Amino acid sequence: MATKHKTNKSAAAVPRHIAVVMDGNGRWATRRLLPRGAGHKFGVDALKRLVRGCIAQHVSVLTVFAFSSENWSRPADEVRGLLELFVQVLQRETAELAAQGVRLRFVGCRDAFDARLLELIESAEVDSAAQSRLQLNVALNYGGRWDIVHAAQALAASGEPFTEQALASHMCLADLPAPDLLIRTGGEHRLSNFLLWQLAYTELYFTDLLWPEFDEKALAAAIAEYARRERRFGGVPAPSAADGLRVA
Ligand code: IPE
Ligand code: IPE
Ligand code: MG
């Protein structure tokens, strides 16, 4: 999982972990007088470009929001179409992803999935387990509040003392570095219940591009913006060489 970073001023120029709210498929389709489902289909191509882009940029972990615990409130047709699309994409793309060195993991509540989807998810995770170029986490029927409650239940069941660290260890993605950068497309400036715990110190980046429009150039722009940010984690700015000279 370790990524080599340059050790100059831009030591953390490349985020180790990028989280993405892939939003705007419906509007993209509607603008083209297409059904919303067409937007979701083109959204898959954007996700494939993103995976290639992350590999090219040496990002280690990518977590994408594919279906939220609130998305069940959409019209039944759209929900059915999305679940069918997940099945098709898993059938079609898992081998190719593994060939690119992608290890797959699914996060979210699996109770609602039918046997076919569940089996594809489980075999994709097993079949890609040896890959290590990019860890791709797909949030499917995921909600940040669900994640926190689920972790709290697991912690309570374990009998361990209730500490922040112990709770964190039961959250989804606990074994991975927290996201460095969150990208949300589609022009909305909200989290929509994605990774509430894990995003505590993540740099947020919003773009008006609709998800099917997101490409390598857009990824490069987001990473370039990230490289300009100064992360302080509650501390103070790191002293620069110039500050040192002034003191001396
Ligand atoms: C995101 O695009 C995809 C999912 C939520 C599954 P939307 O479907 O939310 O697209 P907009 O926001 O309606 O344009
Ligand atoms: C967030 O997008 C969920 C996914 C991208 C899967 P939504 O389109 O569901 O978010 P809201 O409803 O605009 O907050
Ligand atoms: Mg949306």
Side-chain angles (χ1 to χ4, degrees):
M1 201 72 5
T3 306
K4 290 219 166 57
H5 296 300
K6 292 194 198 100
T7 48
N8 57 19
K9 185 164 158 278
S10 56
V14 176
R16 271 184 309 176
H17 183 172
I18 299 182
V20 184
V21 180
M22 309 183 290
D23 195 23
N25 293 348
R27 279 164 285 167
W28 183 89
T30 304
R31 282 180 198 173
R32 283 163 180 74
L33 306 177
L34 295 168
R36 291 176 58 85
H40 299 316
K41 284 210 182 82
F42 279 89
V44 175
D45 295 333
L47 176 55
K48 287 162 67 177
R49 286 196 294 273
L50 176 67
V51 166
R52 285 196 300 271
C54 284
I55 291 171
Q57 302 252 19
H58 303 288
V59 171
S60 305
V61 186
L62 173 64
T63 302
V64 297
F65 207 4
F67 192 87
S68 79
S69 44
E70 287 72 35
N71 287 146
W72 297 104
S73 66
R74 295 187 175 206
D77 264 9
E78 181 170 349
V79 171
R80 227 183 347 260
L82 277 165
L83 292 171
E84 187 53 40
L85 183 63
F86 299 145
V87 166
Q88 286 170 12
V89 170
L90 279 168
Q91 285 170 337
R92 211 173 55 211
E93 306 292 343
T94 307
E96 167 61 22
L97 284 170
Q100 291 180 69
V102 178
R103 181 175 185 172
L104 271 161
R105 184 192 300 184
F106 291 81
V107 293
C109 180
R110 298 186 183 193
D111 297 352
F113 302 150
D114 67 19
R116 193 172 51 138
L117 181 54
L118 209 52
E119 202 183 300
L120 284 164
I121 284 174
E122 285 166 4
S123 55
E125 288 181 336
V126 170
D127 294 349
S128 67
Q131 306 307 323
S132 58
R133 188 169 290 152
L134 176 72
Q135 170 75 50
L136 172 59
N137 307 308
V138 181
L140 212 54
N141 195 20
Y142 175 88
R145 290 174 179 168
W146 166 84
D147 195 357
I148 293 167
V149 170
H150 192 253
Q153 288 167 340
L155 178 54
S158 76
E160 294 164 69
F162 209 110
T163 63
E164 181 178 321
Q165 213 177 13
L167 183 62
S169 75
H170 289 282
M171 302 284 308
C172 288
L173 313 179
D175 56 321
L176 300 170
D180 299 299
L181 172 65
L182 171 88
I183 299 172
R184 180 169 187 149
T185 59
E188 313 296 351
H189 297 178
R190 54 179 173 253
L191 297 180
S192 300
N193 200 17
F194 193 36
L195 301 175
L196 299 178
W197 176 279
Q198 297 85 343
L199 294 176
Y201 268 103
T202 301
E203 295 297 325
L204 308 179
Y205 178 86
F206 300 102
T207 167
D208 290 336
L209 285 175
L210 301 173
W211 177 248
E213 299 167 338
F214 197 84
D215 59 10
E216 280 94 344
K217 213 174 111 212
L219 175 65
I223 292 177
E225 166 64 23
Y226 171 81
R228 287 192 288 273
R229 303 273 178 95
E230 187 183 67
R231 305 186 74 187
R232 289 199 287 273
F233 300 97
V236 294
S240 69
D243 291 338
L245 285 176
R246 263 201 300 278
V247 171

